[in-house]
Amino acid sequence: MSDVTVIGLGPMGATMAETFLRAGHRVTVWNRTASKADRLVAQGAVRAEHAATGELLVISQTTYQAMYDSLGDAGLDGKTLVNLSSGTPDELREAARWVAGRGGTLVTGGIMVPPPGIGRPGAYTFYSGPKDALDRHTATLEALTEVTYVGADPGLAMTYYQAQLYMFWSALTSYMYAAALLEKADVKPSAFLPFARQLHTELADDGPMGYLKILTGELEAGEYPGDENTLHMQAVGMGHVVETLAAAGLDTTVPTALHRLFARADAEGRGREGVTTVVESIKKP
Ligand SMILES: NC(=O)c1ccc[n+]([C@@H]2O[C@H](COP(=O)([O-])OP(=O)(O)OC[C@H]3O[C@@H](n4cnc5c(N)ncnc54)[C@H](OP(=O)(O)O)[C@@H]3O)[C@@H](O)[C@H]2O)c1
């Protein structure tokens, strides 16, 4: 089994190191706060004195700045760094240049599961950067998650990651607003859960409520027919949602932003089109 060094032993990195150990790899670990390595060393990992130890370095830290802080001036000749930390696409591109300038190769990644999902079926990570470097280490990285390569531009992994995270947070936040509103009417979240589940299932289906697929077709065609339900109608309805939340004494920050976006698309003259026309306002802030 191959050698791998895990840098960053927060909840994610520590679980990655454990998962590599369980898969039979020789694992070296490094963390700024050295004591976080103790538990892993007890499980068979080797503690590194410096972060730039080994040939395959898997990094999981809060930011990309942490990678610079951890590696300092170390040479990276022949090393492959796989950074699974959060950042912006531009930060990832800059990091790829920084690593190359020290003789190494950077593969960037956005891991799409929390710690309990690492090493479990269905987990995947968006990877970008040099495919040959990723291919050399795919067998090792597959211990963590499925390897999903999205392209050579090092920023792409984070673009996919953030697109997905934005949808995840928005969906969960909308559920929190919905639950808070219903709670004001003495309805428990568990009573509403079946309907929330149904909505999410239907959105992903191919039926009449299968809006993910419907939107995809409209977005790619650049045409947003509003024959059956117009954006204007939806903007008015969204205004009622904001009024209802406010009347219930709840925060309206996110729903108000949504209402403003719909209302702007309406004011821009696209009220007779379908709701997907909102994307034109998103593209022109
Ligand atoms: N947790 C999740 O569910 C999840 C899911 C997907 C992706 N992610 C991403 O995975 C990454 C790691 O997340 P996490 O949940 O494990 O915890 P985290 O709190 O984001 O990361 C903690 C790690 O970062 C290190 N660190 C932070 N700043 C540093 C610096 N300037 N220099 C050196 N080390 C530094 C910490 O070292 P110390 O121990 O010394 O403080 C620790 O090892 C993040 O980028 C996160 O966005 C997390």
Side-chain angles (χ1 to χ4, degrees), residues 238-267:
M238 192 60 218
H240 294 152
V241 171
V242 174
E243 280 177 46
T244 305
L245 288 162
L250 297 167
D251 172 85
T252 60
T253 312
V254 178
T256 298
L258 201 51
H259 178 236
R260 287 203 180 127
L261 188 61
F262 281 26
R264 177 158 69 85
D266 195 6

Side-chain angles (χ1 to χ4, degrees), residues 8-13 30-33 36 60-63 66 69-70 84-86 111 113-115 161:
L9 301 174
M12 291 293 280
W30 184 90
N31 195 60
R32 177 179 62 179
T33 309
K36 284 196 191 161
S60 178
Q61 297 173 311
T62 315
T63 59
D69 295 348
S70 304
L84 303 177
S85 307
S86 176
I111 178 165
V113 282
Y161 174 86

